[in-house]
Amino acid sequence: MQYVQQTPPLDSSLTADCPQLPEPPEGDYDELTAWMVDVIGMYGDCAARHRATVRAWGTL
C-alpha cells in the first residue's frame, strides 16, 4: 500500500488581508486614546491570524 499525504483544509480566514488602519483622529486626547486602543486590537487580531497560519503551515 502506498502512503498518500493528505493536506487538511485550512480555515479560509487565515488568508484574509489585515484591515486597513484608520487615520488618527484630529480630535482631543480621548479620541486619540480610543483610536490607539482600536489599532492595537486590530494589530493583535491580525498578528494572531498570521501566527495561526504559520502553525498550520508547520503541520502540513
Side-chain angles (χ1 to χ4, degrees):
M1 182 163 61
Q2 185 178 11
Y3 175 75
V4 177
Q5 181 178 0
Q6 295 194 8
T7 304
L10 296 178
D11 184 347
S12 62
S13 70
L14 296 178
T15 63
D17 289 335
C18 293
Q20 184 75 24
L21 295 178
E23 292 293 322
E26 294 182 17
D28 62 12
Y29 179 77
D30 291 335
E31 288 178 318
L32 183 60
T33 301
W35 173 83
M36 287 188 283
V37 169
D38 289 344
V39 167
I40 290 168
M42 292 170 75
Y43 175 81
D45 292 344
C46 190
R49 191 167 53 248
H50 285 285
R51 281 193 301 275
T53 304
V54 170
R55 280 195 304 271
W57 184 270
T59 63
L60 299 179

